[in-house]
Structure formats: structure tokens, C-alpha cells
Amino acid sequence: MTTFTPPDGEPQDRTAAVDPLGGLRAPDDPRCDVYLTGTVFLDIIFTGLAAAPVRGTESWARGMGSSPGGIANMATALARLGLRTSLAAAFGDDHYGEYCWDALEQGEGIDLSGSRKVPGWHSPVTVSMAYEGERTMVSHGHEAPPPEGALPECPPRARAAIAALLPGRGDPWIGRAASHGSLIFADVGWDDSGRWDLAGLVDLEHCEAFLPNAEEAMRYTRTDDPRKAAWKLAEKVPLAVVTLGAEGAYAVDGRTGESAQLPAIGVEALDPTGAGDVFVAGFVTGTLAGWPLADRLAFAGLTAALSVQEFGGSLSAPGWSEVATWWRSVQRVPDQDPAALRRYGFLEGLLPAPSRPWPLRRAVPTIGFGRVG
């Protein structure tokens, strides 16, 4: 495991926006870089719990925050890395829905032209309790009613789209997006049926990349090693990426036969919520930018490592300023492993000047205050 321990006291400098695709853009490009759809939750996050709640007792948390969650975690992670992100989702017309809409559209610059506000429908809610590096979540919500009238084209033209594959069931928009030239990046959830039938992932044929975790990959391929599983999956998709938890990630390019493995960065994990979404966002960014496979893995792992040092899902997604501050800081650590530093040297020409001290602590927003003015 590669371990970096940045020093305190990083000076504050100006920051600049980063467009990772700046050198690749052309006038006839799609309006958005990445399209995604799914359910937006209002996440209410309790932090600073000494231990898991105990039945029959009242627990007090030292901190609390609110943020858009669910598919909003992925959308926020993509937008903060400079990708033009379009999200199609239903939003309730309650205060929670209004808050989530404003936070994503105004706060993160996410295109919501494909989204809709549903009268009389309340927003899905998740309460997350973070303790001992883990979290426990309780959610409530109802499926949004079907739309009335015509909606904007779904999906729109995009360089890429992100999908969650459903065992035994296809989703028509995935095939449409692929036919329009979008690169499909997909993950998958736990197969409650227990069949773990790779042929049941009917939309896998449309995918550019498949990014399961180690357990999912081994079950779907009937293998006993996640690296073997990655090679088996690369027979089905051009890019197979298997996340290995504390061991990092392993990827195989089925077109070229290239493989890469990067260890995880050792950090103090406060809350793993959304880390998988951030990893995918980092990998998508590097792929669309045309980086080498190992650089893509390194960047995805780095962004995920930065995210687990913060509480919450979308709250913790890092932007280029956080990446820049981390990179400047680790280079100043005495006796740093030169080989580990060289692995991230590709960042040097991409990053803005850092503007905040490391470790970074984001302000935790709340919807409890009224608007001023």
C-alpha cells in the first residue's frame, strides 16, 4: 500500500479551473461530456458518533450535514472534475427537492434540462450515520409517478454515459446512448437472486467499461481471484476494471491485452460513502482525456482516497483544487518514496495552483437556514 502523509501549513494560492478535455474539444462535439440518470436522495449525515447506535438508547452526533445523494454523488464527482455533466432525475416539489435541485444546478453547474419536478411527490431521504470508518444508512422513498407529456430527448448526445446494470433486465436508454456514440461505463449491484449469471447482464454488450468490485467480479466469472476475473470480463467488454478495496484496483484492456494494477493510497478513512462513485468519475475523466490505463487507475484511486477523508457522498467528492493541494503537499514530505511520486507525475501539467491547506475540510451545508435577500 502506498502511504502519503502530507504536512500541515500548505500556503494558500490562487486556483484555476481545469478542463481535462480542453485540448480535445471541437465545435461539433456533444453538448455534454457525461450523461447519467437515476434517483436523487436528500442525504442527512450524522458524524462524530462514538459508536454504532444501541437499541433502546439515544445517541448524540457531534456533527450533521445535508447534501444531494444517490445518483447525485456520481454527478457531483464528475462535475467537480471538470466534465460537462447532464443528469436526468425526478425531484420532489418539497423543500428537500428544491434544495437538491439548486445545489446541483447552481452549486455544481450540472445540467438538469433532462430532469423534472414532480408535483405532490416527496423526495426520497437517506439518513447516514458515520462511525469507526463505516456507515449505517436508513432510507425512505416512493417511486416517482410517470411523467405527463413529452420530456427532453433522453439520452442526449454525450461523450459518455454511466449506467447501473440490472441482473436479468435491460434498460432501453443504454442501447440508445451507445448507438449515438456514447461510451458506456457500467457498474452492477449485488445479485439478490444468487444466480450471478453474466449472460443476464444484457446491456453489457453496449459497454465500453465494466467496473465491478472484486466479490462481484469473481461471482460473475466463477473464478477465485479478482485478476483472473478481470481477464474473463475483458472477453466481454473492452475495459474491465475490478476494484480491490485496500489493495487498489486492477484493469485489463481487452483490445490491446494491456493490464495495470495500482495500490490504494493509505489515508485515514472517515466515511466511505460515495467513494465508489468518485472512483468511477476519476476513471471516466482519464478515459475521455485519453490517458494511459495506469494513469487512469492512479487518478481514480487518488480521487477516491481524497473522498473518504470527508463525510458524506457528494460533499466529499474532490475537485482539481483538492488534487492540486495534495500533489504539492506530498512532494514536500521528507523521505517520500520516489517511485510512488513518479506514479503521479502525470498530474504536474494538469493542475492549478493550490488554494487551500491540506488536509482539506469542506464546510458542511444544511437546509435549516432561510435564504437572505
Side-chain angles (χ1 to χ4, degrees), residues 5-32:
T5 308
D8 295 327
E10 180 72 21
Q12 296 192 18
D13 301 308
R14 63 178 181 82
T15 188
V18 173
D19 181 0
L21 309 184
L24 303 175
R25 299 195 184 280
D28 60 346
D29 280 349
R31 181 173 55 86
C32 64

Side-chain angles (χ1 to χ4, degrees), residues 20 27 39 83 130 164 176 220 234 271 280 302 321 331 365:
T39 302
L83 297 183
R176 291 200 301 269
Y220 272 114
D271 182 3
V280 173
L302 169 60
S321 179
Q331 293 180 83

Side-chain angles (χ1 to χ4, degrees), residues 130-361:
Y131 53 87
E132 298 174 354
E134 268 297 342
R135 86 281 197 202
T136 297
M137 296 183 289
V138 178
S139 298
H140 173 72
H142 303 281
E143 187 174 350
E148 297 180 1
L151 290 175
E153 180 188 1
C154 179
R157 285 184 63 235
R159 295 174 188 265
I162 297 177
L165 302 186
L166 301 172
R169 197 177 87 192
D171 206 331
W173 77 262
I174 298 175
R176 291 200 301 269
S179 69
H180 294 163
S182 296
L183 301 178
I184 309 298
F185 295 78
D187 61 10
V188 68
W190 191 259
D191 186 354
D192 291 329
S193 73
R195 289 190 291 269
W196 298 98
D197 179 13
L198 196 58
L201 300 179
V202 295
D203 286 323
L204 198 60
E205 64 175 318
H206 303 303
C207 294
E208 169 71 12
F210 184 43
L211 300 97
N213 64 34
E215 185 67 21
E216 294 159 351
M218 289 187 291
R219 286 177 179 268
Y220 272 114
T221 59
R222 308 297 192 268
T223 58
D224 58 1
D225 181 271
R227 293 156 192 82
K228 293 178 183 177
W231 282 101
K232 293 280 287 186
L233 292 172
E235 298 173 4
K236 303 290 185 180
V237 290
L239 283 170
V241 182
V242 178
T243 55
L244 308 175
E247 295 183 45
Y250 184 77
V252 175
D253 186 326
R255 294 190 181 104
T256 66
E258 179 187 5
S259 64
Q261 179 169 352
L262 268 295
I265 295 175
V267 294
E268 180 184 355
L270 297 180
D271 182 3
T273 305
D277 294 328
V278 172
F279 180 93
V280 173
F283 190 81
V284 170
T285 300
T287 301
L288 295 184
W291 299 350
L293 184 60
D295 290 354
R296 286 180 256 172
L297 275 191
F299 185 70
L302 169 60
T303 54
L306 293 177
S307 77
V308 301
Q309 296 175 89
E310 301 286 344
F311 288 107
S314 62
L315 286 174
S316 67
W320 286 101
S321 179
E322 285 90 339
V323 175
T325 302
W326 174 86
W327 176 237
R328 308 301 180 210
S329 298
V330 297
Q331 293 180 83
R332 294 168 52 185
V333 176
D335 302 321
Q336 194 69 269
D337 180 2
L341 286 178
R342 284 195 299 271
R343 174 60 270 163
Y344 297 89
F346 69 94
L347 294 171
E348 190 62 46
L350 297 168
L351 298 175
S355 61
R356 298 172 61 189
W358 205 103
L360 296 159
R361 290 292 177 264

Side-chain angles (χ1 to χ4, degrees), residues 31-36 75 79 83-89 91 101 104-106 108-115 152-153 156-157:
R31 181 173 55 86
C32 64
D33 297 324
V34 186
Y35 168 82
L36 64 169
L83 297 183
R84 299 170 184 175
T85 303
S86 177
L87 171 63
F91 290 78
W101 185 289
L104 295 173
E105 184 179 57
Q106 304 300 323
E108 305 294 346
I110 294 168
D111 170 36
L112 297 181
S113 60
S115 293
E153 180 188 1
R157 285 184 63 235

Side-chain angles (χ1 to χ4, degrees), residues 70-81:
I71 193 63
N73 294 337
M74 179 75 74
T76 300
L78 292 162
R80 287 185 182 174
L81 292 177

